[in-house]
């Protein structure tokens, strides 16, 4: 999504500045405000999403049993949390990739066009190798932010329903702070370290090799 959006924002079209502002807005709004807004929109009784789907006759009438309970059914709650997280984080990826794309000399891309390379070939063989360090750094930040973020899950579902959206940060908070088991909570929070360390080492080694 970030890559596609970055390519879109690099094109020339009317209202480009307005679109850029709207795209960046999810990342600039305070996370608590945006998440509570989504919690209202996904509410089982007052959901504007369900109302819109009902008006389009895609689900039953207002308040009927056919209305999906977005944050109360395990699969729907997990999908909702994932959607809100992607909605909030992919503008950051797009901004990072836009910075990388502006550093690609247009002469090289034009030469690939003259040689008959398709868009997919230009992207895979020319653009990606040149912006690979930025892609790796973006992946590094995105991975760390996603795995360590507690706000979206805590505010939307608090790990429910029935543990369907539980992640390590919310589990560490419930065990260590709410239940008072500080030792267990610290152990749970540190469990991310051995999972992230090998991935970070591989990414940084790959980045150093490309710099050589």
């Amino acid at each position: 999504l970030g890559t596609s959006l970055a390519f879109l924002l690099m094109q020339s079209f009317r209202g480009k500045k307005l679109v850029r502002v709207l795209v960046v807005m999810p990342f600039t709004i305070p996370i608590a405000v945006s998440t509570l807004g989504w919690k209202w929109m996904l509410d089982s009784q007052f959901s504007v999403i369900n109302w819109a789907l009902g008006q389009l006759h895609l689900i039953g009438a207002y308040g009927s049993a056919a209305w999906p309970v977005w944050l109360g059914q395990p699969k729907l709650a997990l999908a909702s949390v994932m959607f809100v997280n992607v909605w909030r984080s992919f503008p950051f990826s797009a901004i990072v990739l836009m910075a990388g794309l502006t550093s690609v000399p247009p002469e090289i891309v034009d030469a690939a066009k003259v040689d008959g390379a398709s868009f997919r070939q230009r992207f895979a063989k020319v653009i990606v190798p040149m912006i690979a360090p930025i892609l790796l750094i973006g992946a590094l930040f995105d991975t760390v932010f996603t795995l360590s973020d507690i706000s979206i899950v805590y505010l939307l579902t608090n790990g429910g329903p029935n543990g369907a959206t539980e992640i390590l940060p919310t589990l560490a908070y419930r065990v260590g702070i709410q239940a008072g088991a500080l030792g267990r909570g610290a152990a749970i929070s540190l469990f991310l370290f051995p999972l992230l360390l090998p991935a970070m080492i591989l990414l940084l080694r790959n980045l150093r090799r490309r710099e050589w």
Side-chain angles (χ1 to χ4, degrees):
L1 287 175
T3 306
S4 302
L5 183 60
F7 271 105
L8 176 64
L9 295 178
M10 291 290 292
Q11 307 303 315
S12 297
F13 56 89
R14 291 185 62 183
K16 181 177 180 179
K17 293 183 179 179
L18 178 61
V19 172
R20 285 187 174 183
V21 171
L22 294 176
V23 164
V24 175
M25 193 174 293
F27 190 72
T28 57
I29 297 175
I31 187 170
V33 175
S34 60
T35 304
L36 289 175
W38 277 106
K39 188 172 185 178
W40 170 74
M41 288 190 286
L42 295 168
D43 185 85
S44 59
Q45 186 174 0
F46 305 105
S47 171
V48 67
I49 297 175
N50 284 350
W51 177 84
L53 293 176
Q55 294 297 311
L56 296 172
H57 303 290
L58 298 177
I59 59 176
Y62 175 78
S64 66
W67 271 37
V69 183
W70 296 102
L71 302 179
Q73 297 173 327
K75 292 183 179 180
L76 290 178
L78 184 60
S80 300
V81 169
M82 292 170 63
F83 176 81
V84 174
N85 185 65
V86 170
W87 170 83
R88 187 182 183 277
S89 60
F90 86 90
F92 172 75
S93 303
I95 294 170
V96 172
L97 289 169
M98 277 181 62
L101 290 173
T102 54
S103 65
V104 176
E107 298 83 8
I108 299 178
V109 180
D110 292 337
K113 287 182 181 179
V114 172
D115 290 337
S118 63
F119 174 79
R120 182 176 297 180
Q121 290 173 329
R122 295 196 303 269
F123 179 73
K125 303 294 184 180
V126 178
I127 297 176
V128 168
M130 297 188 71
I131 65 171
I134 297 175
L135 287 172
L136 291 174
I137 292 173
L140 180 66
F141 277 101
D142 205 18
T143 302
V144 173
F145 289 161
T146 300
L147 293 180
S148 61
D149 183 40
I150 188 176
S151 305
I152 292 177
V153 174
Y154 181 77
L155 292 172
L156 276 182
T157 61
N158 197 18
N162 200 23
T165 59
E166 190 79 87
I167 56 175
L168 286 175
T170 56
L171 181 62
Y173 175 77
R174 287 197 301 103
V175 172
I177 305 301
Q178 293 182 334
L182 294 178
R184 290 182 60 193
I188 294 170
S189 63
L190 287 174
F191 187 74
L192 277 174
F193 180 74
L195 294 179
L196 287 174
L197 184 62
M200 300 304 106
I201 291 175
L202 289 174
L203 284 173
L204 292 175
R205 286 184 64 184
N206 196 341
L207 181 60
R208 176 175 286 185
R209 286 176 183 172
R210 290 182 178 275
E211 289 177 352
W212 288 346

